[in-house]
Amino acid sequence: MKDKKLSILSIMIGIVLLMTACGGDKPSIAIGPAASETNSASRLLLEAYGLEDGDYKSFQEGFSDAADQVQDGNIDLLIGVLGLPAGSIESLHNSTGDVVMLELSDEAIDFIEENSAYRRHTIPADTYEFLDKDIQTVTAYAVLMGNTNTITEEQGYELAKTMVEHSNEITHAQGKEMTLENALNGAEGLPIHPGAAKYYEEQGLEFDNPIAELDINDEKSELVLGTGSSGGTYYPLGGEMAIVFNNHIDGINVTNQETGASLENLAGIRDGNIDLGMTVHVPALDAFNGEGQFKDNQVENAAFIGHIYPEAAQIVTRKSTDIKSLEELKK
């Protein structure tokens, strides 16, 4: 009798644990770390479909950890703002063989464009082997911002020039996006560092951005480049960028630093702890305008240096979840 009670108890505990892992009837969605740009973008995407916090169970791990939980079946849906192709998504498909990417509806894209700086973007079908059609989504741009209290006009000029003219030395897949044609992607609405502006004007590029004012007391030769976590794109790409900068710009030494990415880098520039920061252009706009996460902590000393690569919103699940669109998640 005692063994029978223990068996029943074990079954009940198992059911409770299973319901907890799956969030009951609510879909479990990985929306990115708290206070990250991915987290903000994920909430906006879900809001475009009328989905609020209570409609789903949110997971706020980093993308790699969340992908592992999707693989294990503990998370239904994963949202990431990532370069193309994203190695973590390729790895997930290689492990499971059944990854599905969801696209955004025209109505959702219109809502997102009206309420943010994200813009419509098409992920080509040949980006991933598991795609059988183009995917409609939205994109932001990863950009390099410079501290106007530490980056001189000459340094800003050389940084912008090196990003364009020596990006072919970067082996990371996103290095190919740093071209003159793309150089001002993500600059809309941001002040441009005067050195970078000078270089782009010499190359015949046109823009109407405000030119940032510099307030430099002492010229620095040791520069800190804020990147992201070691498991993401920013950190390895930023490491290669630092090497290229050091190889081609006399008088400086750039050290890449692991950080929490966009928001931490912008705050680091504001507080004088970072000289160069990789960030999505959307929070950079918020930082400059004193909005969003920077409503009470405006960043007035950050200026655009150059475009790095486009970051597309990518929504993935597995065939086993039978989720075919975000619309069906609204109960």
Side-chain angles (χ1 to χ4, degrees):
M1 187 68 160
K2 182 178 179 182
D3 290 341
K4 185 176 181 181
K5 288 181 179 180
L6 287 173
S7 296
I8 293 172
L9 180 61
S10 297
I11 292 171
M12 291 177 66
I13 290 173
I15 291 172
V16 170
L17 290 174
L18 178 62
M19 290 179 67
T20 301
C22 298
D25 292 331
K26 297 178 183 179
S28 51
I29 305 176
I31 61 174
S36 69
E37 178 54 24
T38 293
N39 190 287
S40 300
S42 296
R43 293 181 186 279
L44 180 62
L45 295 184
L46 296 170
E47 183 184 351
Y49 288 90
L51 292 163
E52 301 176 350
D53 286 347
D55 296 321
Y56 57 91
K57 183 175 182 181
S58 64
F59 287 76
Q60 301 189 68
E61 286 84 1
F63 195 88
S64 295
D65 291 338
D68 289 340
Q69 295 202 53
V70 171
Q71 179 179 331
D72 295 339
N74 297 322
I75 293 178
D76 299 317
L77 203 69
L78 176 59
I79 302 175
V81 181
L82 307 160
L84 295 168
S88 48
I89 292 179
E90 291 179 319
S91 295
L92 177 61
H93 180 67
N94 290 337
S95 299
T96 65
D98 68 346
V99 168
V100 176
M101 182 170 288
L102 307 185
E103 66 178 348
L104 299 175
S105 66
D106 288 338
E107 294 77 13
I109 292 173
D110 289 343
F111 176 88
I112 294 165
E113 288 187 331
E114 289 170 5
N115 290 278
S116 74
Y118 284 86
R119 293 295 176 260
R120 179 184 293 270
H121 186 75
T122 300
I123 299 176
D126 62 0
T127 303
Y128 298 103
E129 66 174 24
F130 59 83
L131 293 181
D132 57 11
K133 66 173 184 176
D134 293 347
I135 298 294
Q136 299 306 311
T137 185
V138 292
T139 192
Y141 296 101
V143 299
L144 182 67
M145 301 292 287
N147 190 330
T148 58
N149 294 335
T150 63
I151 303 297
T152 67
E153 181 171 342
E154 181 181 357
Q155 289 171 340
Y157 179 95
E158 293 298 333
L159 287 164
K161 178 180 179 180
T162 301
M163 287 180 70
V164 170
E165 298 184 9
H166 296 284
S167 60
N168 62 321
E169 298 174 24
I170 294 175
T171 64
H172 194 285
Q174 305 305 333
K176 67 180 187 298
E177 301 291 345
M178 284 180 267
T179 65
L180 186 62
E181 180 182 11
N182 296 336
L184 294 177
N185 287 348
E188 183 178 357
L190 291 172
I192 296 185
H193 191 283
K198 180 180 178 182
Y199 173 72
Y200 296 134
E201 286 172 346
E202 288 180 357
Q203 303 309 305
L205 299 185
E206 297 181 358
F207 51 89
D208 58 3
N209 303 61
I211 306 301
E213 295 185 7
L214 304 183
D215 183 17
I216 298 173
N217 294 321
D218 296 310
E219 182 175 342
K220 294 179 63 175
S221 59
E222 297 291 330
L223 304 178
V224 174
L225 167 61
T227 58
S229 66
S230 58
T233 298
Y234 281 7
Y235 184 75
L237 177 57
E240 289 200 49
M241 290 173 64
I243 291 172
V244 173
F245 288 149
N246 293 337
N247 286 343
H248 294 282
I249 304 177
D250 293 334
I252 68 167
N253 181 61
V254 180
T255 302
N256 63 307
Q257 177 175 296
E258 183 176 0
T259 69
S262 294
L263 301 182
E264 184 176 333
N265 292 338
L266 290 163
I269 288 176
R270 179 195 62 212
D271 299 337
N273 303 319
I274 289 176
D275 305 293
L276 298 165
M278 301 170 72
T279 175
V280 177
H281 85 282
V282 178
L285 279 169
D286 285 345
F288 175 63
N289 294 317
E291 299 173 348
Q293 298 280 348
F294 296 92
K295 185 176 181 180
D296 300 317
N297 298 285
Q298 186 175 7
V299 182
E300 299 178 296
N301 62 319
F304 178 89
I305 299 289
H307 162 270
I308 305 176
Y309 67 94
E311 294 196 285
Q314 298 174 65
I315 309 162
V316 296
T317 185
R318 296 181 59 187
K319 290 180 182 178
S320 57
T321 68
D322 203 32
I323 297 174
K324 297 179 175 61
S325 68
L326 290 177
E327 285 98 336
E328 64 190 62
L329 299 183
K330 183 65 177 177
K331 301 297 185 182

